[in-house]
Amino acid sequence: MTQDHANSGATSTEAAHAAYRALPSVDALLREPALAAQAAQVGDAALLDAVRAVLAAARTAIGAGSPSPAPHQWPEQVAALLDARMRRSLQPVINATGVIIHTNLGRAPLSANALSAMAEVGQGYSSLEYDLERGTRGSRHDHARALLQRLTGAEDALVVNNNAAAVYLVLAAFCQGREVLISRSQLVEIGGGFRIPDVLVQGGARLVEVGTTNRTHPRDFADAITPDTAALLRVHSSNFRQIGFVAMPTLADMAAIAHDDAAHVPLLLIDDLGSGTLLDTRTYGLAAEPMVQESVAAGADLVTFSGDKLLGGPQAGIIVGRAPLIEALRRHPLARALRVDKSTLAALEATLWAYDRGQAPDELPVWRMIAAPPDALHARAEKWRLALARYGVESSVSAGESAVGGGSLPGETLPTWLLSLSTAQPDSVAAALRHARPPVICRIQNDKLLFDPRTVLPEQEDLLLEALHASLVRTAG
Ligand SMILES: *Cc1c(COP(=O)(O)O)cnc(C)c1O
């Protein structure tokens, strides 16, 4: 070992000793006045845990040659750790992406009525399975039933956990060990790995593909029927669109085949609508998304759709259709495993009431966002631009497009106005925005950050602008 090395070794050891000696005691940090308010919130045990973790990290850092933190940094580090630990994993975010039914961001925001209905039944006891007329045991399946019958024209209805569960239950109950005919154009993957062929297999059904990728004709179904056939299944292609030389029988055509008296056995026509809608999307300048009422009227025996896509309610799977079939589903052992809880039912019932009163377009956030007029969106984006200018931040307002999302209306967009921000470090600003409170999720396109007012709730605007300003300052610093 050379003289130099020995000297530097001795110096660094001395520095480390000094740094270790400078470490505050656990007790001193526990009594730190700057942590008192937070300590009261989190409790003594969490505070002690955080203090020990910060001191341990400092010892490790000193061992690796770092200096001891300055005195004022100790409470800051403990506070930051407590803060991070207290932050909920599932938290509200501001959706500035312009995708209305954003599956990663929780799909449909709920209406005020749906939220208060959830809070009311959640706060105390409820008539979940209690018949208030008779004073006897009731059924949770009764709550949204009459509304769904009225709104869809179906004989009966059942609500389960989500639409995937709805499709699975239907297949397990009626198609186990038997054949299900489906067009080759509809063997789709919906997203998150949910593939129709896999669900069929899980439900115990045997998949029989008919037609071709682009064209399927009524006779393809008719010719494929055997004594083993249980059902014809139509699946809405949801997240993609076929154009060009394509053909698919109408639901009424399929109903005629399924219910043909000459068939060997009575066949079911099952229609998985995915999103489904009770309102006509064409009224809003969009393409037609299949309507639940139309499927029922066209003769589908069972129709399944989601509660939190275009319906604009809580996560749920809704099955409507012929009364004896729905009754069999209700009695199926799987129905218990797939049932929904009281807060879902409360939110769903409140959401359906909005349709029943004809107020869905005004009351449900999803439809309000779809219906937002371009002028109003322009005014909001312009207001944001001016507010940012007061912070000294330059931005612009440009024409753009919003999407409905949620596996509905693929390729369809709604004209909107975007707040557009140029920055040297778009990814860093976007990352800072994701760490804001609440986190803000935006789009990045051509190195610009884009914010679509369509999906930002009016009461979130100030928080969005504050987060944006703070993120720009933090990223610049
Ligand atoms: C979205 C979708 C599903 C799954 O619905 P979830 O409510 O997400 O479970 C099933 N089928 C189709 C056609 C869909 O679009």
Side-chain angles (χ1 to χ4, degrees), residues 107 161-165 167 188 190 194 196 235-239 272-275 305-309 315-317 406-407:
R107 289 198 182 154
N161 195 37
N162 54 21
N163 188 35
V167 177
V188 298
I190 305 303
F194 180 86
I196 289 297
V235 178
H236 182 43
S237 51
S238 297
N239 48 10
D272 174 18
L273 284 182
S275 175
F305 59 103
S306 288
D308 54 354
K309 290 182 178 173
Q315 178 191 302

Side-chain angles (χ1 to χ4, degrees), residues 300-313:
D301 297 296
L302 291 165
V303 182
T304 66
F305 59 103
S306 288
D308 54 354
K309 290 182 178 173
L310 279 173
L311 192 75

Side-chain angles (χ1 to χ4, degrees), residues 182-243:
I182 179 169
S183 163
R184 285 201 164 83
S185 65
Q186 296 179 346
L187 295 171
V188 298
E189 177 175 316
I190 305 303
F194 180 86
R195 289 181 161 181
I196 289 297
D198 297 342
V199 181
L200 273 156
V201 170
Q202 285 302 317
R206 287 205 305 281
L207 169 73
V208 177
E209 305 175 14
V210 308
T212 61
T213 304
N214 58 328
R215 288 174 75 82
T216 301
H217 304 288
R219 65 165 187 280
D220 294 322
F221 281 102
D223 292 349
I225 293 172
T226 73
D228 256 2
T229 308
L232 276 59
L233 172 64
R234 183 177 84 155
V235 178
H236 182 43
S237 51
S238 297
N239 48 10
F240 74 103
R241 201 163 59 178
Q242 280 193 325
I243 53 167

Side-chain angles (χ1 to χ4, degrees), residues 401-427:
E401 287 168 341
S402 321
V404 177
S408 55
L409 300 160
E412 287 280 310
T413 56
L414 294 157
T416 192
W417 292 94
L418 304 167
L419 180 83
S420 164
L421 200 86
S422 296
T423 150
Q425 310 165 65
D427 292 323

Side-chain angles (χ1 to χ4, degrees), residues 20 101-102 113 119 138 146 153 203-204 213 224 264 281 289 349-351 360 367 377 381 391 401 404 415 425 430 446:
Y20 284 128
I101 306 169
H102 198 304
N113 282 336
T213 304
H264 309 255
T281 46
E289 179 75 11
E349 199 181 358
T351 304
W367 289 99
L377 295 167
Y391 284 131
E401 287 168 341
V404 177
Q425 310 165 65
N446 300 328

Side-chain angles (χ1 to χ4, degrees), residues 211-466:
T212 61
T213 304
N214 58 328
R215 288 174 75 82
T216 301
H217 304 288
R219 65 165 187 280
D220 294 322
F221 281 102
D223 292 349
I225 293 172
T226 73
D228 256 2
T229 308
L232 276 59
L233 172 64
R234 183 177 84 155
V235 178
H236 182 43
S237 51
S238 297
N239 48 10
F240 74 103
R241 201 163 59 178
Q242 280 193 325
I243 53 167
F245 191 54
V246 296
M248 180 68 201
T250 64
L251 201 61
D253 289 341
M254 291 176 73
I257 295 164
H259 305 148
D260 183 354
D261 285 341
H264 309 255
V265 277
L267 300 180
L268 292 184
L269 176 59
I270 303 166
D271 192 20
D272 174 18
L273 284 182
S275 175
T277 175
L278 295 174
L279 297 178
D280 190 343
T281 46
R282 287 171 298 189
T283 320
Y284 300 88
L286 293 162
E289 179 75 11
M291 294 177 72
V292 183
Q293 310 88 306
E294 289 176 356
S295 290
V296 172
D301 297 296
L302 291 165
V303 182
T304 66
F305 59 103
S306 288
D308 54 354
K309 290 182 178 173
L310 279 173
L311 192 75
Q315 178 191 302
I318 300 167
I319 312 170
V320 299
R322 292 202 358 245
L325 301 174
I326 298 286
E327 184 54 29
L329 290 174
R330 211 176 272 132
R331 291 175 187 280
H332 194 280
L334 265 176
R336 169 75 185 230
L338 304 177
R339 74 184 189 182
V340 288
D341 83 317
K342 60 190 175 213
S343 52
T344 299
L345 282 169
L348 182 63
E349 199 181 358
T351 304
L352 294 170
W353 271 116
Y355 286 96
D356 203 53
R357 294 194 312 269
Q359 282 164 358
D362 306 316
E363 199 175 302
L364 305 181
V366 163
W367 289 99
R368 292 174 63 136
M369 288 175 185
I370 288 175
D375 286 356
L377 295 167
H378 187 270
R380 288 178 70 194
E382 188 57 27
K383 191 173 74 181
W384 296 358
R385 188 188 68 76
L386 290 172
L388 285 179
R390 282 196 289 280
Y391 284 131
V393 176
E394 214 177 295
S395 61
S396 62
V397 172
S398 58
E401 287 168 341
S402 321
V404 177
S408 55
L409 300 160
E412 287 280 310
T413 56
L414 294 157
T416 192
W417 292 94
L418 304 167
L419 180 83
S420 164
L421 200 86
S422 296
T423 150
Q425 310 165 65
D427 292 323
S428 309
V429 177
L433 282 168
R434 290 198 303 274
H435 290 93
R437 277 193 228 174
V440 176
I441 317 296
C442 66
R443 268 192 274 166
I444 301 180
Q445 219 169 309
N446 300 328
D447 284 343
K448 286 195 170 71
L449 296 175
L450 302 176
F451 302 83
D452 190 336
R454 190 187 296 276
T455 50
V456 176
L457 305 175
E459 60 271 24
Q460 296 176 323
E461 290 196 333
D462 289 342
L463 290 168
L464 167 75
L465 294 170
E466 277 163 33

